[in-house]
Amino acid sequence: MTQATERDGSAAPGPAPAVVLVRPQLGQNIGMAARAMANFALSDLRLVAPRDGWPNPEAGPAAAGADHVLDGARVAASVAEAAADCHLLLATTVRPRDSRLAVLTPAEAAAEIRRRAARGERTALLFGPERSGLTADDMAAAHAIVTCPVNPGFGSLNLAQAVLVLAYEWFLAEGAAAAAGGAAAVQPETDRAGVAEVDGLFRQLDAALNACGYYHPPERAPAMRRTIAGILARALLSAQDVRTLRGVVAALARGPRG
Amino acid sequence: MTQATERDGSAAPGPAPAVVLVRPQLGQNIGMAARAMANFALSDLRLVAPRDGWPNPEAGPAAAGADHVLDGARVAASVAEAAADCHLLLATTVRPRDSRLAVLTPAEAAAEIRRRAARGERTALLFGPERSGLTADDMAAAHAIVTCPVNPGFGSLNLAQAVLVLAYEWFLAEGAAAAAGGAAAVQPETDRAGVAEVDGLFRQLDAALNACGYYHPPERAPAMRRTIAGILARALLSAQDVRTLRGVVAALARGPRG
């Protein structure tokens, strides 16, 4: 179900992106983010470990009527869980943090979301906590970074403002897609692996590597894990690729025969 | 004086637009509008008959550091007085209200502001009171209307959100102008692995898999090899990724310790 279908009854241009707020602190900011989403026809809100639990009584008043977004919000324990059904994870940051990932503008991100949606793929937009932003761990499974160009002398987009800019660009891109000829024929489904499948492969590989003593010295283990998770996330694996690689890891972990 | 000049020292592309808040009600909203302006390098704030007078103690905390915008705000009794030095008045409305005026999108408005600024002309963006919006009198001197496309089923952009979208589009238009002028941002070079490096990884993995008895039944071995080689080729690995994965394969092939 997409908002686009609800909104104008036209053939759906594919799934609208989910907005994933990672460890949001203030209920008011969650409410304002919901309002920003509703203004631009987004409704799929997911909360990863909200600091003050959920529901939060401060969210409703700030949502200014976007209650359907808050009521439908789902809570998850991790980014991987929150985005398990998504094929494309875009991590929003104030400034580019990992030169290994492509850095997109909001408009570029909106165009990419539209392209993926036309193939039936789901996208999640990740937003970090108000003060600190996304950690390297939060971004380990991300496919690209989205950074909004801001005044380098000020640059303090808050959470709801960042959601607003991304939602606005997505809404504009929808208009552009409709203007370009409406709902084109749905492309054949790709077999792109979802986040949950890639995460399953990672966990299998991680356990095998742990058994081999790969993570040495121990203090480097977190960074080594992120590196490997990032390689898998960027590898554009199909569901079949994941199955193949799980067989590969299982065979290697089993060790030489005879 | 333009923010653009302050920001990057380049030749000024002309005056930045003034933001004129007409009869704003809440100090908090004035502060949030100032913050939105500062994020996108606008600083010329003008207030027409603010309901609770000026200065307003509730504005500062909401401005989150955009004190220079609030400190520089000028108060006027009317739109005509506030925009006396401007050549182009753009009235923002939630929905088009006067068919006699051209209706621009925020992006179209930003482009028009840039064109006028290049000729040295000043623009004012008018924003109405929180609940009621601009009156016909407020818009009497306007040259065009700016309406942000929003979800027709929700559509409740608040004052600061409307300022944010316009300021964002203006900032983008500046970036587009700068890019057209030749100051292209240099993308970091990728460290994409060469064919020989990926092939070396494949051969290492292939040997390890062979030792494990992975290629079974034997008649399927060629197709299985092609599948794995294809996954590695499509994974867009960097040279560092290849080194990491060679370490992974070596660890797995070595097997559990102890």
Side-chain angles (χ1 to χ4, degrees), chain A:
Chain A
M1 184 191 74
T2 70
Q3 277 291 325
T5 306
E6 292 173 2
R7 264 191 336 114
D8 57 22
S10 66
V19 169
V20 180
L21 306 185
V22 181
R23 296 185 303 282
Q25 300 178 324
L26 298 178
Q28 185 185 25
N29 288 335
I30 298 171
M32 291 173 69
R35 177 186 191 162
M37 291 172 64
N39 271 315
F40 297 111
L42 294 180
S43 63
D44 186 351
L45 175 62
R46 307 178 187 190
L47 306 173
V48 175
R51 184 189 70 182
D52 299 335
W54 189 254
N56 183 321
E58 291 176 14
D67 300 311
H68 64 290
V69 176
L70 297 179
D71 293 344
R74 284 182 279 167
V75 176
S78 66
V79 170
E81 180 190 333
D85 61 331
C86 297
H87 304 81
L88 177 69
L89 293 199
L90 299 177
T92 63
T93 65
V94 173
R95 288 180 181 78
R97 294 253 297 265
D98 181 343
S99 62
R100 309 284 299 283
L101 295 175
V103 178
L104 308 178
T105 66
E108 291 167 343
E112 180 67 14
I113 292 168
R114 289 280 162 202
R115 278 193 291 273
R116 300 299 193 96
R119 303 201 300 250
E121 294 185 20
R122 295 187 172 277
T123 299
L125 289 162
L126 307 183
F127 296 85
E130 287 90 334
R131 287 182 182 281
S132 50
L134 294 168
T135 66
D137 277 342
D138 295 329
M139 299 204 292
H143 300 100
I145 284 173
V146 187
T147 297
C148 183
V150 292
N151 177 5
F154 187 72
S156 79
L157 273 191
N158 73 9
L159 181 55
Q161 289 176 325
V163 171
L164 184 81
V165 168
L166 269 293
Y168 167 72
E169 286 284 8
W170 175 80
F171 193 77
L172 287 190
E174 176 180 61
V186 174
Q187 298 288 327
E189 288 280 303
T190 62
D191 186 31
R192 182 66 50 80
V195 169
E197 292 165 289
V198 176
D199 187 56
L201 167 62
F202 169 73
R203 282 185 287 110
Q204 177 189 0
L205 177 58
D206 182 51
L209 289 171
N210 208 33
C212 298
Y214 173 78
Y215 294 119
H216 186 80
E219 61 269 23
R220 285 200 55 231
M224 295 167 83
R225 284 196 168 87
R226 281 197 300 273
T227 297
I228 293 170
I231 291 172
L232 296 180
R234 290 191 306 273
L236 304 179
L237 301 173
S238 71
Q240 180 56 52
D241 290 343
V242 168
R243 288 190 288 276
T244 298
L245 291 176
R246 291 192 73 134
V248 163
V249 173
L252 292 171
R254 197 171 54 230
R257 288 192 169 172

